[in-house]
Amino acid sequence: MLLTIQQRTKEILESTASNEKTLSIYKLVMDGGMGGQIIIAILIVLLAVALYIYFERFFAIKSATKTDKNFMNQIRDHVSHGKLDAAKVLCAQTNSPAARLIEKGISRIGKPLEDINTAIENAGRLEIYKLEKNVSVLATIAGAAPMIGFLGTVVGMIVAIHEIANAGGQIDIKMLSDGLYTAMTTTVAGLIVGIISYIQYNHLVVRTNKVVYEMEAKSLEFLDLLNEPI
């Protein structure tokens, strides 16, 4: 008798386990209806764009920070000995934002110091613009993605209310599932894309500021070099 009860209990547990539904993100998205699928597709595209911009800018900014520690010492030696062509060649070989500013300043040697400073500042603005290329798009995605997700929430709730209105008093939770799936999945997807883009944007801003400070430091050092007595 005891053996029979144990076997029956085992069969019930196995049957329950086989019928248990697992949570599938793909199924949730597909069950959300056409509106939810379109919004999720838009968010996936935005995520792909955000990731591309982040990694492209990350490696570009990382490359811009690579400067020889002896660069300014070599520039000082070349300028002090009047080897301006050698200094320009060194700047071209270094090929960094700071080096390009120094090269612009070297090309203006012989003119008033104010003109040299103005030329360096103008070149610096161009370099900053290059470093910040497309970074603002990340900020836009960080702000737009959650709003698009909330749009999906509104669409989902409209679908759910529409089903309730047409139910004629026979409300079934399964009837509301499409609208609820749309509301929840799009909200989560929008927040995920927004959070990732926001973190990426701030990280790039910090790294860009580091390069800008380095450019300013080397520019001031170069101008101080020109002010030194011969």
Side-chain angles (χ1 to χ4, degrees), residues 8-228:
R8 182 57 181 168
T9 303
K10 184 178 179 181
E11 290 175 359
I12 293 174
L13 291 175
E14 290 177 350
S15 177
T16 303
S18 63
N19 292 329
E20 184 180 357
K21 293 184 178 180
T22 58
L23 181 63
S24 170
I25 296 177
Y26 175 78
K27 188 176 185 303
L28 286 176
V29 173
M30 297 308 296
D31 287 347
M34 182 61 68
Q37 293 169 16
I38 292 174
I39 292 175
I40 293 293
I42 293 173
L43 291 171
I44 290 174
V45 172
L46 291 178
L47 178 60
V49 172
L51 290 174
Y52 171 78
I53 292 174
Y54 172 73
F55 285 109
E56 189 272 332
R57 285 292 85 201
F58 176 80
F59 289 114
I61 295 172
K62 184 178 180 180
S63 176
T65 58
K66 293 181 179 179
T67 305
D68 188 358
K69 294 181 179 179
N70 294 322
F71 172 73
M72 288 307 300
N73 291 331
Q74 293 174 316
I75 291 294
R76 181 183 297 274
D77 291 339
H78 289 321
V79 173
S80 299
H81 292 86
K83 300 178 180 179
L84 300 184
D85 291 336
K88 290 180 181 179
V89 170
L90 177 61
C91 291
Q93 291 175 344
T94 304
N95 192 28
S96 68
R100 286 190 285 271
L101 295 187
I102 302 302
E103 184 178 8
K104 180 65 68 173
I106 292 172
S107 66
R108 296 293 191 274
I109 288 180
K111 296 184 178 181
L113 191 62
E114 184 177 350
D115 293 344
I116 298 175
N117 187 31
T118 301
I120 291 176
E121 287 180 353
N122 292 335
R125 293 190 187 97
L126 293 176
E127 293 297 333
I128 293 173
Y129 174 77
K130 293 177 183 178
L131 289 172
E132 294 178 343
K133 179 183 177 182
N134 293 330
V135 174
S136 60
V137 177
L138 276 180
T140 302
I141 293 175
M147 289 190 289
I148 293 174
F150 292 143
L151 174 62
T153 303
V154 174
V155 171
M157 297 310 297
I158 290 174
V159 172
I161 293 172
H162 177 74
E163 293 295 338
I164 292 174
N166 293 333
Q170 302 295 326
I171 300 176
D172 184 1
I173 190 62
K174 185 173 178 57
M175 186 185 302
L176 308 178
S177 61
D178 286 356
L180 296 177
Y181 283 146
T182 299
M184 295 299 101
T185 55
T186 55
T187 301
V188 172
L191 289 174
I192 289 174
V193 175
I195 291 170
I196 292 174
S197 301
Y198 182 74
I199 293 173
Q200 292 174 339
Y201 170 75
N202 282 283
H203 184 236
L204 291 180
V205 168
V206 171
R207 293 187 67 89
T208 300
N209 288 338
K210 182 179 178 181
V211 178
V212 172
Y213 294 148
E214 182 180 352
M215 290 164 51
E216 292 177 350
K218 284 184 167 51
S219 298
L220 290 174
E221 187 175 351
F222 175 74
L223 293 173
D224 290 340
L225 169 62
L226 298 182
N227 278 324
E228 290 180 357

